[in-house]
Amino acid sequence: KSETNSNLQIKQFEEKAPCVQLDNIIGLWTGNFSLFDLPLVEFARQLTVWSTTRYYAIQRSELLDCAWNVPRLKYRAPNVIALTDHMNKLSQWVIYSILSENNVNKRIEKMETLIKLGNLLFEMNNYFDGASIILAFIAPQLDNLTLHKARLKQETQDTLTELIEFCQPADNYAPLRKKQTEALNNRNPVMPLISILLQDIFQTSTNAENYVDGLINVLKCKRVYKCIVDLEVFMREKYCFLSIDQVQAKIDQFQDYDENLLFDLAASVEKQLKKDDA
């Protein structure tokens, strides 16, 4: 009976999910394709699938005692650590994808594409992956590409400026928090910027003593509990996108890049463009 119910749930999920958009990607089944070959909407969906799969799997034990941030307790927080690592790796993938492109016009095109992808993720209420992509553009390696940014379409430049402003930590990320809450209140699925929520848990957990006059600090426990519930509430409304195994495998392969390598590439491509313009 449980197997029948499970099959029924899978069938209902597949019927509800939007059709996968692959266009005419060559090499999908062999893995010999680039993520840039995907239609942007499908790329955004697959990033969302990867992140939400781990987000929905987070257990409270991963959040207690700030386990993700304590070396001896990290084994308790596999999903939280996977997400925080992914955020850094996605940003570095964005930087490397742009800087490793030898052709100037294709490099500009990739910048345009990635900014559009970030914007699309924000429109899907996936603020986690959207911010990971957009914040890559204020990393030193890309922030210094002034000549490249000047070649972006004005509309793209305006979008980038708006999204960067939206991701700023001023007022404890007030604009971003407001957007996340509004989307949630409208019963839309939301993938929040988890680093904000983890910051809330960390600060609440470390800003007060566990015991007061020899007794458990119940007020602190209640505040930590509320922060955990604030993170869990985003699991209430779930995204309904079909997973593409080959694309998920590509996302799994995001890696860390040597900072010096990225700085060298950035200096080289900007110098090249300056020389071409001279």
Side-chain angles (χ1 to χ4, degrees), residues 67-97:
W68 74 91
N69 198 51
V70 181
R72 66 183 179 83
L73 299 179
K74 283 187 175 182
Y75 73 93
R76 278 176 20 194
N79 296 295
V80 172
I81 291 173
L83 285 166
T84 53
D85 286 349
H86 173 75
M87 186 171 187
N88 294 327
K89 289 178 180 179
L90 177 54
S91 290
Q92 289 202 330
W93 176 83
V94 169
I95 296 169
Y96 182 77
S97 295

Side-chain angles (χ1 to χ4, degrees), residues 193-204:
L193 184 55
I194 191 173
S195 56
I196 297 176
L197 302 174
L198 294 177
Q199 174 184 292
D200 292 344
I201 296 172
F202 180 82
Q203 290 181 345
T204 304

Side-chain angles (χ1 to χ4, degrees), residues 21-23 25-28 31-48 50 86 89-90 93-94 97 110 113-114 117 129 133 244-255 257:
Q21 295 187 27
L22 292 177
D23 290 351
I25 297 179
I26 298 173
L28 177 65
N32 187 25
F33 68 97
S34 166
L35 290 172
F36 287 97
D37 295 334
L38 290 166
L40 272 189
V41 66
E42 194 58 54
F43 193 175
R45 289 171 182 168
Q46 293 306 309
L47 284 170
T48 303
W50 195 98
H86 173 75
K89 289 178 180 179
L90 177 54
W93 176 83
V94 169
S97 295
K110 278 190 174 180
T113 298
L114 287 164
L117 176 62
D129 288 297
I133 290 172
I244 304 173
D245 291 346
Q246 295 86 343
V247 177
Q248 293 299 305
K250 290 278 187 184
I251 297 173
D252 271 330
Q253 292 168 9
F254 286 160
Q255 63 186 55
Y257 291 93

Side-chain angles (χ1 to χ4, degrees), residues 112-168:
E112 294 265 0
T113 298
L114 287 164
I115 293 169
K116 289 178 182 176
L117 176 62
N119 189 46
L120 181 56
L121 285 161
F122 272 82
E123 290 176 354
M124 288 182 174
N125 301 321
N126 181 348
Y127 302 104
F128 173 74
D129 288 297
S132 300
I133 290 172
I134 294 303
L135 290 175
F137 284 87
I138 60 173
Q141 297 91 341
L142 295 187
D143 193 39
N144 292 331
L145 299 186
T146 53
L147 296 178
H148 285 74
K149 289 182 179 179
R151 289 199 177 190
L152 294 172
K153 296 175 184 176
Q154 186 59 52
E155 179 183 359
T156 306
Q157 293 185 45
D158 294 342
T159 297
L160 179 61
T161 300
E162 180 181 345
L163 292 177
I164 289 174
E165 183 65 27
F166 193 66
C167 294
Q168 293 302 309

